Amino acid sequence: MSETLIFTLYPNSGFFLPLFAVALVNLSLGGFVLKTAPRSDTARSFFWFCLCVAFWVGSYAVGNLDLNPGLTVLAAYGVILGALPIPFIFLLLCSCFPEGNIPFKPYQLFLLILPSLVLLLSFPTGQLVTAAITPDHGLLIKLGSFHQLYMMHITLYFLAGTTLLVYRYSLAKTSEKVRDWYFFAGLLLAAGVGYGFSAFAVILGWYRLIMLGPLGTIFLIVFTTYAILKYRLMDVTLVIKKTTTYSLVTTGITFTYVIVVMGFEYLYRSWLGYYSFWAAVPAALVIAITFVPLRDRLQSVTDRFFFRRVTEYQKIIREITRTMSSVTDLHTLFRLIDRTIVRVMCIKNASVLLLEEKEGCFLVEKINGLPVAISGQKLALEDPLVSYLEEKKDAVVLEELRSQLAGETITPGLKEKLERVQAKMIGFEAAVTIPSFLKGKLVGILNLGEKLSGEMYSPDDLELLLTMASEAAIAIENAKLYRDVTETRDYLDSLVRGSSDAIITLDLNGEILSWNEGARAIFGYEPEELIGQRPPFLQPEELSGMIARVLRGEELKAVEIKRRVKGGRETPLLLTMSPIRDRTVGIIGVSTIIKDIAELRKADVMKQQFLSVISHELRTPLTPIKGYISLFLMGTFGQLDEKQKEALKVVFHQSEHLQDLIDSMIDISRIEAGNQLQLEKEPVFIDQLVEESVRAVAYSFQEKGVKLAIEKPEKRYCLLADRKKLLRVMANLLGNALKFTPRDGSVTIALTSTEEAVQVTVRDTGIGIDPLYLDKVFERFFQIDSSYTRESGGIGMGLTIASEIVQAHHGRVWIESDGLGSGSRANFTLPVNG
């Protein structure tokens, strides 16, 4: 053992605040880790480590207060006692860091703590250290013979702990290695600061600087806290390099200012012969004015020379992020992302997935460095990776997932979920997955592979990528809207260009703005002949009137006109005009669609001729058929048994039905040909007409079990009308009533009159009509889809023909119903003086 070492320290109250602050921060971080991190051996060891370090640093702080000699001596002993368990706890922390368990057995733990206990027992004997106050208020420290054992104990345990860290580092996965690097960085900085202050104290002769050595513990505690709690520990080498470089820069500036202060002090001593407080004033002014600009300038130069590659690619990413907002084309955007991320950051591969709302999935839109089979793959909205990104709303790092899965505190449910997410990322060969959100909704996913350099993604990398993803979300949404609009526009343009109909757009003055291929084919004019001019096939007054109607909101639909085209040929056309509106719903133009119906007219004429011929040809044999059946039923050719009569009645009814169909076909051909019905008017008593109609259908009503009644007016009216055609009207109305009235129902014919007109109402207790169909029942071939319609047959022209006949008599026909199940009322009126 060497002789006792004696030295004197002088407390400095200015050191109390920084030392006490460091002790408080260390203790707070230890408690925070214990509460926040899983209750693992790492968290518990770190808490006790922080507690002891805080006690050690706090003792240094109290020793500098110089309030009471006894307190100063007590603080000196506290420094030694606080440091005794630190090596043992440090070794335990290194053995289980970052998420393991303490590997030592109880007896091994006892052997490891034994040196600390021996030194603690030697403390009262004075063999370790003694302290006393000198007459000049200095603190006299005497280091005893056990002090060398004390220093050896600290050195060996710290070396053992560091060796354990190195060994665990060699076996650790990538993310764990990064966390070990943070631990190393904190340890190196703490040691560097402690030894640095000691070296400065010896070099400058300012021994009181030794009291600031414990300030370095804050680096170890903060870095270790970050390593335990954080998983986002990418590219720690960059952090260490920057921290070390900036620390050296700041240290250099500090030495420079120390020389400045000493220079001013020397000048004052030379001039005045003694030291003056005023010597510090100009030095303080120089420091206050130049420190911040000088520090920032030196750090900027340092970044430029030592971190040039990182700074440049981060600058490029920021510039590209600003550029994205103006991109409206998806392919351009993908090229921009590809060039920026894959090439600048030197990444092995990448893939971009976009939300396709129409398909309800995320679609792989772009790949780089991946198998072609991945392109076009889809992820469902319920996919584990999609759900995890929506839940986390942050970047997902593959190494982090692996670390979480390797943890002992993970629940089975979370483990299964993370395994599925991990499998998806591996499928995309992704080292990191960046979500892209727009208004809180996930709209894009960016999968990035490993860097070619083998480096990890730093926090700055991920922050930049998340920022870029946020901007990309806006750009992607804009580009998708632009794509949809462009595709819709191109689709509509192709429809317009390829349409055989003339599609022409006019401004509000009637001048032609566009002229498609269909218009050229119909009218024979080339677009350049008419663009900017009025249509030659419409008269100026006629065109102005049509545009005025469109502006008033009137419907100009399927107007049939005949016009001469280029070459003088007259052709029938079907014209429709509709307004073109802007965003404010104001009318800015007129869309005109014109269809050449010449061929349709020819076909229509042929159809009418066919219907007319076939109807008459069918009617000719039908008349004798009905006649002979009537003779058989009357017994002219002998008596028939009941079965024969029933069979002939069926044939007779079906022949009547066929006669109605033929008559309907003849009427249809006349209506569609535009021929006005020829009426053979004669005096007709309306009540007699109704009675005749009832007699004609009485047998059918009786067979079905439907009651039929007439409500006659007190006054009889005689009209000039076509008796046969009105009988057709009644037959159609009564036929419909019978068709839609179930057995045991009733049909009533009511006659009412005024001075101007007679009204006939056929009221039934049938199934009724939905009010939505009341205006459609008079349309050609319209039939309500129901079991009654399917069973009773018909072609849906009865009411159309009845309407045409009534209108030809200058009357009106309409249907009323209170809804399904409420029956219906068929009404028509005939003018008295018609």
Side-chain angles (χ1 to χ4, degrees):
M1 298 282 178
S2 61
E3 296 181 355
T4 301
L5 179 63
I6 302 174
F7 59 92
T8 303
L9 297 175
Y10 292 92
N12 187 335
S13 58
F15 293 166
F16 170 77
L17 191 59
L19 288 169
F20 183 76
V22 169
L24 188 61
V25 170
N26 290 345
L27 183 61
S28 300
L29 289 176
F32 179 71
V33 169
L34 186 65
K35 182 179 179 181
T36 306
R39 294 304 179 95
S40 61
D41 288 348
T42 302
R44 285 189 284 267
S45 301
F46 183 68
F47 170 73
W48 286 108
F49 182 74
C50 291
L51 182 65
C52 293
V53 169
F55 182 80
W56 179 60
V57 178
S59 298
Y60 266 102
V62 173
N64 278 284
L65 278 177
D66 196 20
L67 296 177
N68 181 281
L71 183 63
T72 303
V73 171
L74 188 63
Y77 289 139
V79 169
I80 301 299
L81 290 174
L84 279 177
I86 289 178
F88 168 71
I89 299 174
F90 176 77
L91 180 62
L92 295 184
L93 178 61
C94 292
S95 69
C96 61
F97 185 85
E99 291 179 346
N101 296 315
I102 295 175
F104 304 117
K105 296 179 180 179
Y107 77 90
Q108 293 173 325
L109 289 174
F110 175 75
L111 292 176
L112 288 173
I113 202 174
L114 188 59
S116 298
L117 294 175
V118 171
L119 290 171
L120 179 63
L121 292 174
S122 71
F123 189 81
T125 65
Q127 295 298 313
L128 185 59
V129 66
T130 58
I133 301 298
T134 63
D136 59 350
H137 301 287
L139 179 64
L140 181 66
I141 301 295
K142 294 182 180 180
L143 299 178
S145 56
F146 275 40
H147 185 263
Q148 289 186 0
L149 293 175
Y150 174 75
M151 295 303 297
M152 289 174 59
H153 167 248
I154 293 175
T155 303
L156 288 175
Y157 273 60
F158 270 87
L159 285 175
T162 306
T163 303
L164 275 176
L165 273 180
V166 173
Y167 175 72
R168 291 178 65 88
Y169 176 83
S170 64
L171 301 177
K173 297 178 182 178
T174 307
S175 60
E176 291 179 354
K177 287 183 178 180
V178 175
R179 300 166 86 173
D180 290 338
W181 266 112
Y182 264 90
F183 200 164
F184 281 132
L187 189 61
L188 290 173
L189 287 172
V193 171
Y195 284 114
F197 277 111
S198 299
F200 295 159
V202 173
I203 294 172
L204 301 176
W206 294 353
Y207 292 101
R208 65 181 62 182
L209 288 178
I210 295 174
M211 304 290 276
L212 294 178
L215 290 178
T217 58
I218 195 168
F219 291 107
L220 176 59
I221 300 301
V222 169
F223 275 56
T224 308
T225 299
Y226 188 68
I228 293 174
L229 295 183
K230 270 297 228 180
Y231 291 96
R232 187 67 39 76
L233 304 171
M234 305 297 119
D235 200 9
V236 70
T237 54
L238 179 64
V239 178
I240 296 173
K241 288 177 183 177
K242 284 195 171 186
T243 304
T244 306
T245 304
Y246 294 161
S247 298
L248 292 174
V249 169
T250 305
T251 303
I253 296 173
T254 303
F255 270 112
T256 303
Y257 287 144
V258 167
I259 294 173
V260 170
V261 171
M262 293 177 66
F264 276 103
E265 182 180 350
Y266 175 77
L267 289 175
Y268 266 82
R269 287 184 183 277
S270 300
W271 291 343
L272 301 177
Y274 60 89
Y275 174 76
S276 172
F277 166 77
W278 296 103
V281 174
L285 288 174
V286 171
I287 294 172
I289 295 172
T290 62
F291 179 77
V292 174
L294 183 59
R295 182 200 61 189
D296 292 345
R297 178 61 180 170
L298 288 175
Q299 287 184 355
S300 175
V301 172
T302 303
D303 285 345
R304 188 179 305 168
F305 285 98
F306 292 97
F307 312 108
R308 182 174 181 179
R309 184 182 62 84
V310 176
T311 304
E312 283 182 353
Y313 93 70
Q314 291 179 352
K315 180 181 178 183
I316 291 172
I317 291 179
R318 290 190 181 96
E319 290 176 353
I320 297 300
T321 300
R322 288 192 295 269
T323 306
M324 279 184 180
S325 58
S326 61
V327 176
T328 57
D329 178 63
L330 276 177
H331 296 291
T332 304
L333 182 62
F334 291 149
R335 284 198 301 271
L336 198 61
I337 294 174
D338 176 55
R339 185 183 66 193
T340 303
I341 299 176
V342 177
R343 299 183 186 179
V344 176
M345 294 184 72
C346 300
I347 297 172
K348 291 181 180 179
N349 55 69
S351 60
V352 179
L353 292 87
L354 298 184
L355 174 63
E356 295 294 340
E357 296 189 64
K358 294 180 181 178
E359 300 182 27
C361 66
F362 282 84
L363 180 66
V364 178
E365 299 276 6
K366 174 71 175 178
I367 60 171
N368 188 314
L370 292 170
V372 179
I374 292 180
S375 181
Q377 283 190 10
K378 297 178 180 179
L379 290 185
L381 298 181
E382 302 80 20
D383 187 88
L385 179 58
V386 175
S387 302
Y388 190 64
L389 289 171
E390 289 177 335
E391 174 188 336
K392 192 176 181 183
K393 297 187 184 302
D394 195 6
V396 179
V397 182
L398 185 61
E399 287 297 333
E400 292 180 7
L401 290 179
R402 288 172 175 165
S403 297
Q404 285 181 274
L405 289 169
E408 298 178 359
T409 59
I410 189 171
T411 62
L414 180 59
K415 184 175 183 180
E416 181 184 359
K417 179 180 179 180
L418 294 183
E419 284 175 346
R420 295 170 68 189
V421 174
Q422 178 183 250
K424 285 292 181 181
M425 292 185 68
I426 292 174
F428 285 108
E429 300 182 22
V432 62
T433 296
I434 306 293
S436 183
F437 287 91
L438 180 64
K439 298 178 181 177
K441 182 178 182 180
L442 183 66
V443 296
I445 300 173
L446 178 62
N447 294 311
L448 301 177
E450 297 178 354
K451 292 183 179 181
L452 293 172
S453 62
E455 297 176 349
M456 301 297 291
Y457 289 89
S458 70
D460 285 346
D461 290 341
L462 297 178
E463 193 66 32
L464 284 170
L465 290 171
L466 287 169
T467 303
M468 188 181 71
S470 177
E471 291 295 327
I474 300 173
I476 288 170
E477 191 67 18
N478 292 338
K480 286 171 68 177
L481 289 173
Y482 179 78
R483 179 194 64 185
D484 293 344
V485 169
T486 303
E487 289 178 353
T488 303
R489 183 196 63 197
D490 293 342
Y491 175 70
L492 293 175
D493 285 347
S494 66
L495 288 180
V496 171
R497 286 194 302 270
S499 175
S500 59
D501 295 338
I503 301 178
I504 306 164
T505 56
L506 309 173
D507 62 19
L508 296 182
N509 294 322
E511 295 179 355
I512 296 173
L513 299 175
S514 68
W515 182 269
N516 77 328
E517 183 63 24
R520 189 196 65 78
I522 292 173
F523 293 101
Y525 295 98
E526 297 294 334
E528 53 271 17
E529 294 182 74
L530 293 180
I531 296 294
Q533 300 182 31
R534 291 194 167 202
F537 50 85
L538 292 174
Q539 295 298 320
E541 299 79 8
E542 183 183 27
L543 177 61
S544 299
M546 289 179 174
I547 293 175
R549 289 176 61 185
V550 171
L551 292 174
R552 288 196 301 267
E554 296 182 22
E555 194 174 79
L556 203 63
K557 185 177 180 181
V559 177
E560 190 169 337
I561 59 175
K562 279 190 176 183
R563 290 294 184 271
R564 293 191 181 277
V565 299
K566 191 175 183 181
R569 178 175 57 88
E570 188 176 63
T571 184
L573 305 169
L574 208 61
L575 178 143
T576 297
M577 278 190 174
S578 56
I580 300 173
R581 302 181 183 274
D582 59 12
R583 291 182 180 178
T584 62
V585 198
I587 299 176
I588 58 173
V590 177
S591 173
T592 305
I593 301 176
I594 301 173
K595 187 175 188 66
D596 185 350
I597 57 173
E599 294 300 322
L600 291 176
R601 282 287 169 260
K602 291 179 183 178
D604 193 50
V605 170
M606 294 174 65
K607 181 188 71 174
Q608 302 307 327
Q609 291 174 350
F610 172 76
L611 285 174
S612 179
V613 172
I614 197 67
S615 299
H616 286 90
E617 290 298 323
L618 288 172
R619 179 185 282 179
T620 301
L622 188 59
T623 302
I625 290 172
K626 288 177 63 180
Y628 277 105
I629 292 173
S630 299
L631 293 174
F632 273 109
L633 288 172
M634 289 187 295
T636 305
F637 302 108
Q639 293 300 318
L640 303 174
D641 59 31
E642 289 302 318
K643 287 187 178 180
Q644 291 171 334
K645 285 183 180 181
E646 288 299 322
L648 286 174
K649 285 179 182 179
V650 172
V651 174
F652 182 78
H653 286 313
Q654 291 302 317
S655 64
E656 282 189 326
H657 180 59
L658 183 57
Q659 180 71 55
D660 289 339
L661 288 177
I662 293 170
D663 291 340
S664 295
M665 289 175 64
I666 293 171
D667 290 334
I668 290 169
S669 64
R670 288 174 181 170
I671 292 169
E672 293 199 342
N675 298 329
Q676 190 173 2
L677 288 176
Q678 300 298 318
L679 301 180
E680 298 177 2
K681 292 187 177 182
E682 59 180 298
V684 176
F685 283 97
I686 196 67
D687 55 336
Q688 290 181 352
L689 181 76
V690 171
E691 289 175 353
E692 186 177 352
S693 299
V694 168
R695 285 194 298 271
V697 297
Y699 180 77
S700 299
F701 273 75
Q702 185 179 355
E703 265 193 323
K704 189 174 181 182
V706 177
K707 296 178 182 178
L708 182 59
I710 303 174
E711 295 178 358
K712 295 182 180 180
E714 296 179 359
K715 185 178 179 180
R716 299 181 70 191
Y717 279 93
C718 182
L719 308 175
L720 280 176
D722 190 321
R723 178 177 165 278
K724 290 181 179 180
K725 287 187 170 52
L726 289 182
L727 286 173
R728 288 285 309 282
V729 173
M730 288 301 301
N732 286 334
L733 296 183
L734 288 171
N736 274 345
L738 178 63
K739 182 190 300 184
F740 295 107
T741 301
R743 180 177 293 277
D744 298 327
S746 63
V747 175
T748 304
I749 305 172
L751 299 174
T752 57
S753 62
T754 64
E755 293 296 329
E756 293 80 17
V758 175
Q759 178 173 321
V760 179
T761 300
V762 179
R763 185 172 60 249
D764 64 60
T765 59
I767 63 173
I769 304 174
D770 191 317
L772 294 174
Y773 299 125
L774 289 177
D775 293 333
K776 297 183 177 181
V777 293
F778 294 104
E779 295 179 4
R780 299 174 189 179
F781 307 108
F782 178 80
Q783 290 181 306
I784 298 173
D785 185 19
S786 69
S787 59
Y788 287 96
T789 302
R790 290 189 291 271
E791 290 175 4
S792 305
I795 60 174
M797 283 296 292
L799 290 177
T800 304
I801 294 170
S803 176
E804 293 287 342
I805 293 173
V806 172
Q807 289 177 13
H809 283 83
H810 306 291
R812 186 169 72 92
V813 62
W814 71 98
I815 302 292
E816 296 174 327
S817 178
D818 295 330
L820 295 175
S822 302
S824 59
R825 298 175 296 280
N827 310 277
F828 69 90
T829 60
L830 297 171
V832 174
N833 300 319

